[in-house]
Amino acid sequence: MFPTTIAGSLPKPPWLAESGKLWAAWRPAGAELEAAKLDATLVAIKLQEDAGIDIVTDGEQSRQHFVHGFLEAVNGIDFTKRVEMGIRNDRYKAMVPTVTGPLSLKGRVHACEARFARAHTRKKLKFTLPGPMTIVDTIADGYYGDRIKMALAFADVLNHEARALAADGVDVIQFDEPAFNVYMDAATDWGIEALHRATAGLTCTTAIHICYGYGIPANVEWKATLGAAWRQYERVFPALAKSRIGQISLECRNSKVPIELLKLLDGKDVLIGVIDVATETIETPEEVAAVIGKALPYVPRERIIPCTNCGMAPMRRNIAAAKLMALGAGARLARERFG
């Protein structure tokens, strides 16, 4: 009961990239970089196992960014043609590459780190990929001329890698779609269709992660404008409940999401964010268990998976490690309290 997992990313060690920073440049290069990425992956797995996390990830140690780490292996994208673009409905600006031709994979994207992670843990393994809608919100279009067409093209590319990851022994494939909390009408109109295309043919567990973003200033400031009740999930949860996606990952800890919205996910496993990634305050096991307890009236206990609110990539490593320990300890306390 209450198996634990994380949203995906963990901070990178300082010998791999600058800590506490998104888009941090790699410190090593060449063959040394590739070895360092795998070393960091092993550390990330160990940190999770020591904390009692039941479904571990590679910590996204081999990617500079959760979207662009995938895009680097896609034909049809020009990384030298960067333009400044508003991300998440202009919440913040970023210099992004441009789609200049038809999309296809150059080859495998994450085979090395996925197989390495699989070989070094007996735990269930989750691997994260960017969702199609979030990708098109994080790249410039100089070819398709239509966001939906481009999203479906990305969905086909994602599906090739997802099928290969499942063959590598990955137990859960999660698509990260923070854009679903920004473009709610588009999410239900075509975003879920694109997800179905990305997950076509998968026999492993599928998941979608929808959050309010990393704990960076732009996201924290945006949350302050959302009022006393954050009801974005209310717009997409009914459609997701009818979808073929097996698990839904969402933000609960220190958020203003009305907890009763969880009942809209009837029939799905719910990854409940019990760890706040926007603060360095370490949760206590009691606080983690309390969030789980609040969800119990709305989600069957066998479908609750305690998780982090979002990725922890920008966080200081010692803080992230302590929060992992709190997650594991809080879930154990919840099993005692609610079992």
Side-chain angles (χ1 to χ4, degrees):
M1 187 169 64
F2 306 142
T4 51
T5 192
I6 65 172
S9 66
L10 289 171
K12 294 177 176 64
W15 40 263
L16 178 61
E18 184 178 352
S19 300
K21 185 178 180 180
L22 286 176
W23 307 87
W26 300 117
R27 293 196 190 276
E32 183 181 346
L33 173 60
E34 297 312 307
K37 288 177 179 180
L38 295 184
D39 289 345
T41 298
L42 192 58
V43 172
I45 292 170
K46 176 65 172 170
L47 283 173
Q48 292 170 80
E49 291 185 341
D50 286 352
I53 305 304
D54 300 294
I55 305 162
V56 303
T57 80
D58 70 325
E60 299 180 10
Q61 298 297 292
S62 296
R63 292 172 255 181
Q64 277 188 309
H65 185 267
F66 81 105
V67 174
H68 290 197
F70 180 83
L71 298 184
E72 290 169 358
V74 180
N75 290 310
I77 299 174
D78 188 345
F79 276 83
T80 67
K81 191 175 181 181
R82 289 184 177 269
V83 298
E84 185 177 69
M85 192 174 89
I87 304 296
R88 313 295 178 263
N89 199 23
D90 288 328
R91 192 187 314 165
Y92 52 91
K93 302 289 186 181
M95 296 299 296
V96 301
T98 302
V99 174
T100 56
L103 299 168
S104 64
L105 284 185
K106 298 174 183 177
R108 285 299 309 279
V109 185
H110 298 302
C112 187
E113 58 266 39
R115 292 170 183 172
F116 182 84
R118 179 70 284 165
H120 285 85
T121 184
R122 296 181 180 179
K123 300 275 191 177
K124 285 189 175 180
L125 178 63
K126 178 168 78 172
F127 210 89
T128 59
L129 294 171
M133 177 178 283
T134 295
I135 291 178
V136 301
D137 193 50
T138 321
I139 194 168
D141 179 16
Y143 178 76
Y144 285 93
D146 181 279
R147 284 171 64 87
I148 300 176
K149 287 181 180 178
M150 187 164 72
L152 294 177
F154 272 117
D156 290 337
V157 170
L158 286 162
N159 183 249
H160 283 293
E161 179 64 14
R163 288 180 185 232
L165 286 169
D168 290 335
V170 171
D171 301 287
V172 182
I173 296 178
Q174 174 182 292
F175 292 87
D176 296 333
E177 283 285 22
F180 271 41
N181 253 359
V182 183
Y183 312 105
M184 283 78 74
D185 290 338
T188 55
D189 287 346
W190 56 267
I192 292 175
E193 176 191 352
L195 273 181
H196 283 165
R197 199 149 161 170
T199 59
L202 292 180
T203 56
C204 64
T205 299
T206 58
I208 177 176
H209 171 65
I210 313 172
C211 64
Y212 289 82
Y214 288 124
I216 59 176
N219 291 333
V220 174
E221 292 167 9
W222 174 62
K223 291 180 185 183
T225 71
L226 297 180
W230 303 352
R231 307 198 71 93
Q232 282 80 4
Y233 289 136
E234 189 173 33
R235 302 271 296 276
V236 297
F237 279 1
L240 284 169
K242 298 175 183 177
S243 76
R244 297 197 297 271
I245 306 301
Q247 299 182 343
I248 318 297
S249 172
L250 59 115
E251 183 168 330
C252 289
R253 171 70 180 164
N254 286 344
S255 77
K256 297 178 182 177
V257 174
I259 198 71
E260 64 270 15
L261 295 186
L262 300 186
K263 66 185 178 183
L264 299 176
L265 292 172
D266 184 46
K268 301 297 182 184
D269 291 341
V270 183
L271 280 63
I272 295 173
V274 297
I275 297 293
D276 186 358
V277 301
T279 176
E280 292 195 340
T281 301
I282 309 302
E283 288 80 2
T284 65
E286 290 76 12
E287 288 170 334
V288 170
V291 178
I292 296 170
K294 289 178 181 178
L296 280 171
Y298 309 104
V299 183
R301 65 190 62 215
E302 66 273 12
R303 287 195 173 276
I304 291 177
I305 301 174
C307 187
T308 56
N309 276 353
C310 187
M312 303 169 92
M315 188 172 285
R316 286 195 291 157
R317 292 184 76 217
N318 63 319
I319 300 296
K323 283 178 174 281
L324 288 179
M325 297 299 292
L327 173 55
R332 289 192 295 273
L333 178 60
R335 291 176 198 125
E336 296 171 5
R337 184 171 294 173
F338 307 118

